[in-house]
Amino acid sequence: MRSGAPRPPVVSPAVAALDVLAKGTLLACLVLVLLDPAWGNLEGKAPTARALTYPLLAFAVPLWWQLRRPSGSYPWLADLLLTFAAFSDILGNRLDLYDRVAWFDDVMHVAVVTCISAALVLLTMTRTSSTVAVLERSVALGMTAALAWELFELVSFVTRSAELPSAYADTLGDLLAGWIGTVLAALLVHHAWRHHLPPPDEISAEAQARLAR
């Protein structure tokens, strides 16, 4: 190995601890929401559907890891990003920020889609991927996730709420915020990879095989 060559970043134990803490707090909050939707300010906002779907997002990576048993270290950062996407919505509603702060919803759409897109890129690509390839993957997967969320909201509660008259404009704004998040995620991940890129002789056989596909 060449001396002085940059190494890929090592995930801090703090990231793993934060991931576990976020998962535990999320589950506790969801139990409270099921018992009393008013506790989370989720009356009329599909509290039961959220309580059932958010654990699927938060525990998607552990389940995938157990089923596939891939080589390498556990993707704690990607797991944390997906967990944060679910936890931040519950926390934002619990603090009533969506209703009290006019711009909070727009910021959260950018932040959540950024986290989801970055996590999916980290899980499905290698650090030798080009900027264009990372951007394509991030936009494709991230916008699919953003569209799925908008459809979830529409089916679960929007059609039966007072928000219906403004739903079209709000959905377009949310999708635009999601697109911004996908581009931001691609740029951040590729920037991090470019500055922590291992030399070619350190790229694993698994990574080379994935690049060849």
Side-chain angles (χ1 to χ4, degrees):
M1 182 180 69
R2 296 191 295 271
S3 60
R7 295 179 177 274
V10 177
V11 175
S12 166
V15 174
L18 187 60
D19 184 26
V20 174
L21 177 62
K23 280 179 167 53
T25 306
L26 173 64
L27 292 178
C29 289
L30 291 176
V31 170
L32 292 174
V33 166
L34 283 175
L35 294 175
D36 181 15
W39 177 86
N41 295 304
L42 287 171
E43 311 97 310
K45 296 182 180 180
T48 301
R50 292 173 193 259
L52 294 176
T53 56
Y54 283 3
L56 296 178
L57 179 62
F59 289 91
V61 174
L63 179 61
W64 167 79
W65 190 264
Q66 288 297 319
L67 293 176
R68 289 202 58 183
R69 297 284 183 174
S71 59
S73 58
Y74 184 80
W76 285 107
L77 181 57
D79 192 14
L80 174 60
L81 289 172
L82 291 179
T83 303
F84 173 79
F87 177 71
S88 62
D89 180 72
I90 293 296
L91 181 62
N93 278 291
R94 171 69 182 103
L95 299 176
D96 202 23
L97 295 176
Y98 286 97
D99 293 328
R100 292 194 297 108
V101 183
W103 47 262
F104 185 75
D105 181 65
D106 295 328
V107 171
M108 287 308 299
H109 272 279
V110 175
V112 168
V113 176
T114 298
C115 289
I116 293 176
S117 301
L120 294 175
V121 169
L122 290 171
L123 290 170
T124 62
M125 304 192 77
T126 63
R127 58 183 64 249
T128 55
S129 303
S130 67
T131 305
V132 173
V134 172
L135 182 60
E136 289 176 344
R137 183 70 58 88
S138 181
V139 172
L141 297 180
M143 285 306 297
T144 299
L147 178 59
W149 173 255
E150 294 303 319
L151 291 174
F152 166 78
E153 285 192 331
L154 180 67
V155 172
S156 60
F157 71 90
V158 171
T159 55
R160 300 182 297 278
S161 74
E163 299 178 16
L164 185 57
S166 61
Y168 179 73
D170 184 66
T171 297
L172 290 180
D174 291 346
L175 289 176
L176 174 60
W179 179 83
I180 294 173
T182 65
V183 174
L184 182 60
L187 296 178
L188 289 173
V189 171
H190 188 266
H191 176 79
W193 278 349
R194 185 176 62 184
H195 286 78
H196 298 280
L197 184 65
D201 58 347
E202 287 188 1
I203 299 175
S204 67
E206 180 186 2
Q208 294 180 26
R210 289 170 63 187
L211 285 171
R213 283 186 234 155

mmCIF file of all heavy atoms in Angstrom, residues 37-38 41-47 50 153 156-158 160-163:
data_model
loop_
_atom_site.group_PDB
_atom_site.id
_atom_site.type_symbol
_atom_site.label_atom_id
_atom_site.label_comp_id
_atom_site.label_asym_id
_atom_site.label_seq_id
_atom_site.Cartn_x
_atom_site.Cartn_y
_atom_site.Cartn_z
ATOM 1 N N PRO A 37 -52.816 9.656 19.709
ATOM 2 C CA PRO A 37 -52.326 10.449 18.570
ATOM 3 C C PRO A 37 -52.129 11.924 18.899
ATOM 4 O O PRO A 37 -51.261 12.583 18.318
ATOM 5 C CB PRO A 37 -53.436 10.266 17.523
ATOM 6 C CG PRO A 37 -54.062 8.958 17.868
ATOM 7 C CD PRO A 37 -54.026 8.885 19.367
ATOM 8 N N ALA A 38 -52.906 12.445 19.842
ATOM 9 C CA ALA A 38 -52.765 13.849 20.219
ATOM 10 C C ALA A 38 -51.393 14.128 20.831
ATOM 11 O O ALA A 38 -50.889 15.254 20.759
ATOM 12 C CB ALA A 38 -53.870 14.247 21.197
ATOM 13 N N ASN A 41 -49.355 15.161 18.100
ATOM 14 C CA ASN A 41 -50.003 16.124 17.210
ATOM 15 C C ASN A 41 -50.281 15.518 15.840
ATOM 16 O O ASN A 41 -50.097 16.157 14.804
ATOM 17 C CB ASN A 41 -49.151 17.390 17.060
ATOM 18 C CG ASN A 41 -49.007 18.155 18.362
ATOM 19 O OD1 ASN A 41 -49.992 18.539 18.983
ATOM 20 N ND2 ASN A 41 -47.778 18.348 18.793
ATOM 21 N N LEU A 42 -50.725 14.270 15.843
ATOM 22 C CA LEU A 42 -50.963 13.540 14.602
ATOM 23 C C LEU A 42 -52.437 13.192 14.401
ATOM 24 O O LEU A 42 -52.751 12.320 13.593
ATOM 25 C CB LEU A 42 -50.125 12.255 14.580
ATOM 26 C CG LEU A 42 -48.626 12.447 14.356
ATOM 27 C CD1 LEU A 42 -47.876 11.152 14.584
ATOM 28 C CD2 LEU A 42 -48.363 12.972 12.946
ATOM 29 N N GLU A 43 -53.323 13.891 15.086
ATOM 30 C CA GLU A 43 -54.745 13.631 14.880
ATOM 31 C C GLU A 43 -55.104 13.948 13.426
ATOM 32 O O GLU A 43 -54.806 15.022 12.921
ATOM 33 C CB GLU A 43 -55.604 14.488 15.807
ATOM 34 C CG GLU A 43 -55.183 14.462 17.259
ATOM 35 C CD GLU A 43 -54.319 15.652 17.617
ATOM 36 O OE1 GLU A 43 -53.343 15.916 16.887
ATOM 37 O OE2 GLU A 43 -54.646 16.310 18.618
ATOM 38 N N GLY A 44 -55.727 12.983 12.759
ATOM 39 C CA GLY A 44 -56.109 13.179 11.368
ATOM 40 C C GLY A 44 -54.968 13.095 10.385
ATOM 41 O O GLY A 44 -55.119 13.428 9.206
ATOM 42 N N LYS A 45 -53.784 12.663 10.834
ATOM 43 C CA LYS A 45 -52.608 12.569 9.956
ATOM 44 C C LYS A 45 -52.104 11.129 9.881
ATOM 45 O O LYS A 45 -50.895 10.887 9.829
ATOM 46 C CB LYS A 45 -51.493 13.483 10.449
ATOM 47 C CG LYS A 45 -51.838 14.964 10.410
ATOM 48 C CD LYS A 45 -50.660 15.813 10.864
ATOM 49 C CE LYS A 45 -50.990 17.294 10.836
ATOM 50 N NZ LYS A 45 -49.841 18.128 11.285
ATOM 51 N N ALA A 46 -53.011 10.186 9.868
ATOM 52 C CA ALA A 46 -52.686 8.762 9.718
ATOM 53 C C ALA A 46 -51.675 8.276 10.755
ATOM 54 O O ALA A 46 -50.624 7.731 10.400
ATOM 55 C CB ALA A 46 -52.170 8.481 8.316
ATOM 56 N N PRO A 47 -51.951 8.447 12.054
ATOM 57 C CA PRO A 47 -50.991 7.999 13.069
ATOM 58 C C PRO A 47 -50.735 6.499 13.030
ATOM 59 O O PRO A 47 -49.594 6.052 13.223
ATOM 60 C CB PRO A 47 -51.652 8.427 14.386
ATOM 61 C CG PRO A 47 -53.109 8.536 14.072
ATOM 62 C CD PRO A 47 -53.166 9.033 12.669
ATOM 63 N N ARG A 50 -48.493 5.626 10.036
ATOM 64 C CA ARG A 50 -47.114 6.028 10.319
ATOM 65 C C ARG A 50 -46.451 5.057 11.298
ATOM 66 O O ARG A 50 -45.275 4.696 11.137
ATOM 67 C CB ARG A 50 -47.083 7.450 10.893
ATOM 68 C CG ARG A 50 -47.487 8.531 9.915
ATOM 69 C CD ARG A 50 -47.588 9.877 10.606
ATOM 70 N NE ARG A 50 -48.244 10.875 9.790
ATOM 71 C CZ ARG A 50 -47.618 11.821 9.094
ATOM 72 N NH1 ARG A 50 -46.298 11.900 9.112
ATOM 73 N NH2 ARG A 50 -48.299 12.696 8.372
ATOM 74 N N GLU A 153 -49.252 10.019 1.703
ATOM 75 C CA GLU A 153 -50.018 11.087 2.344
ATOM 76 C C GLU A 153 -51.389 11.244 1.703
ATOM 77 O O GLU A 153 -52.399 11.414 2.392
ATOM 78 C CB GLU A 153 -49.248 12.410 2.262
ATOM 79 C CG GLU A 153 -48.082 12.519 3.218
ATOM 80 C CD GLU A 153 -47.551 13.938 3.293
ATOM 81 O OE1 GLU A 153 -47.670 14.683 2.294
ATOM 82 O OE2 GLU A 153 -47.012 14.314 4.349
ATOM 83 N N SER A 156 -53.549 8.114 2.650
ATOM 84 C CA SER A 156 -53.769 7.871 4.072
ATOM 85 C C SER A 156 -54.606 8.941 4.761
ATOM 86 O O SER A 156 -55.383 8.629 5.672
ATOM 87 C CB SER A 156 -52.429 7.720 4.801
ATOM 88 O OG SER A 156 -51.646 8.897 4.655
ATOM 89 N N PHE A 157 -54.458 10.219 4.353
ATOM 90 C CA PHE A 157 -55.251 11.221 5.077
ATOM 91 C C PHE A 157 -55.585 12.496 4.300
ATOM 92 O O PHE A 157 -56.564 13.169 4.625
ATOM 93 C CB PHE A 157 -54.542 11.612 6.384
ATOM 94 C CG PHE A 157 -53.302 12.428 6.213
ATOM 95 C CD1 PHE A 157 -53.337 13.816 6.186
ATOM 96 C CD2 PHE A 157 -52.069 11.804 6.085
ATOM 97 C CE1 PHE A 157 -52.184 14.567 6.050
ATOM 98 C CE2 PHE A 157 -50.900 12.548 5.948
ATOM 99 C CZ PHE A 157 -50.963 13.931 5.927
ATOM 100 N N VAL A 158 -54.828 12.867 3.279
ATOM 101 C CA VAL A 158 -55.055 14.156 2.618
ATOM 102 C C VAL A 158 -56.439 14.258 1.996
ATOM 103 O O VAL A 158 -57.110 15.289 2.088
ATOM 104 C CB VAL A 158 -53.967 14.424 1.560
ATOM 105 C CG1 VAL A 158 -54.322 15.651 0.708
ATOM 106 C CG2 VAL A 158 -52.616 14.635 2.232
ATOM 107 N N ARG A 160 -59.084 13.177 2.978
ATOM 108 C CA ARG A 160 -60.130 13.322 3.988
ATOM 109 C C ARG A 160 -59.867 14.484 4.939
ATOM 110 O O ARG A 160 -60.463 14.569 6.002
ATOM 111 C CB ARG A 160 -60.247 12.021 4.800
ATOM 112 C CG ARG A 160 -60.600 10.807 3.957
ATOM 113 C CD ARG A 160 -60.761 9.564 4.822
ATOM 114 N NE ARG A 160 -59.536 9.195 5.498
ATOM 115 C CZ ARG A 160 -58.550 8.483 4.927
ATOM 116 N NH1 ARG A 160 -58.668 8.079 3.670
ATOM 117 N NH2 ARG A 160 -57.461 8.175 5.594
ATOM 118 N N SER A 161 -58.963 15.373 4.542
ATOM 119 C CA SER A 161 -58.604 16.476 5.422
ATOM 120 C C SER A 161 -58.928 17.818 4.784
ATOM 121 O O SER A 161 -59.270 17.911 3.600
ATOM 122 C CB SER A 161 -57.101 16.423 5.758
ATOM 123 O OG SER A 161 -56.339 16.829 4.634
ATOM 124 N N ALA A 162 -58.765 18.867 5.582
ATOM 125 C CA ALA A 162 -59.006 20.227 5.088
ATOM 126 C C ALA A 162 -57.916 20.691 4.132
ATOM 127 O O ALA A 162 -58.037 21.748 3.507
ATOM 128 C CB ALA A 162 -59.100 21.187 6.275
ATOM 129 N N GLU A 163 -56.835 19.920 4.003
ATOM 130 C CA GLU A 163 -55.727 20.291 3.134
ATOM 131 C C GLU A 163 -55.999 19.985 1.664
ATOM 132 O O GLU A 163 -55.237 20.397 0.795
ATOM 133 C CB GLU A 163 -54.455 19.544 3.555
ATOM 134 C CG GLU A 163 -54.000 19.837 4.965
ATOM 135 C CD GLU A 163 -52.767 19.025 5.338
ATOM 136 O OE1 GLU A 163 -52.126 18.487 4.412
ATOM 137 O OE2 GLU A 163 -52.457 18.920 6.530
#
